[in-house]
Amino acid sequence: MLFGLFEQDLIAVALLGVVANFIFSFLFSWHLMQNIGMETMLETRGKKPQGWFSGLSLAVPFAKMVLTLYRVAVLQLYFLNRGYSYRDYWVYLTRDESEQP
């Protein structure tokens, strides 16, 4: 027994977390692509590396999905509610501060 679950239950929860993450990530990227456009996303993409917590979150079920939902909240609360565009959010998400615009 691990974490109060039998091994097969733990594996089932982990797989459900992976599937849920895939669905949320796909829908979020599709939403961004619909509002920004694929060509613009490719042109404005930076080389910002993912944070260390992104790789670590793969080990914990549903943590990657929570990270994706956090990014959705940042988009809505910080960028869209303050009048910024989806493109501004994409640049923020993919560009490092040291990169020139």
Side-chain angles (χ1 to χ4, degrees):
M1 219 180 208
L2 297 170
F3 307 112
L5 296 171
F6 291 111
E7 287 78 13
Q8 62 266 29
D9 295 336
L10 183 64
I11 291 171
V13 168
L15 287 176
L16 182 62
V18 168
V19 169
N21 170 55
F22 175 75
I23 291 170
F24 277 98
S25 295
F26 175 78
L27 291 175
F28 184 54
S29 62
W30 181 71
H31 179 71
L32 286 177
M33 189 177 64
Q34 292 296 321
N35 287 295
I36 300 172
M38 183 60 100
E39 293 82 21
T40 306
M41 288 176 81
L42 291 174
E43 291 170 0
T44 58
R45 185 175 185 277
K47 294 180 179 13
K48 182 177 182 179
Q50 291 292 319
W52 61 269
F53 52 89
S54 182
L56 183 64
S57 67
L58 292 173
V60 179
F62 295 101
K64 191 79 168 150
M65 185 185 74
V66 170
L67 185 63
T68 301
L69 291 177
Y70 168 75
R71 289 176 178 166
V72 171
V74 167
L75 169 66
Q76 181 62 46
L77 298 176
Y78 184 77
F79 283 89
L80 297 181
N81 286 352
R82 293 183 181 192
Y84 294 107
S85 68
Y86 284 95
R87 186 179 185 278
D88 295 330
Y89 174 73
W90 177 252
V91 169
Y92 162 77
L93 194 64
T94 60
R95 287 224 176 145
D96 199 3
E97 289 81 27
S98 63
E99 292 181 45
Q100 297 296 326

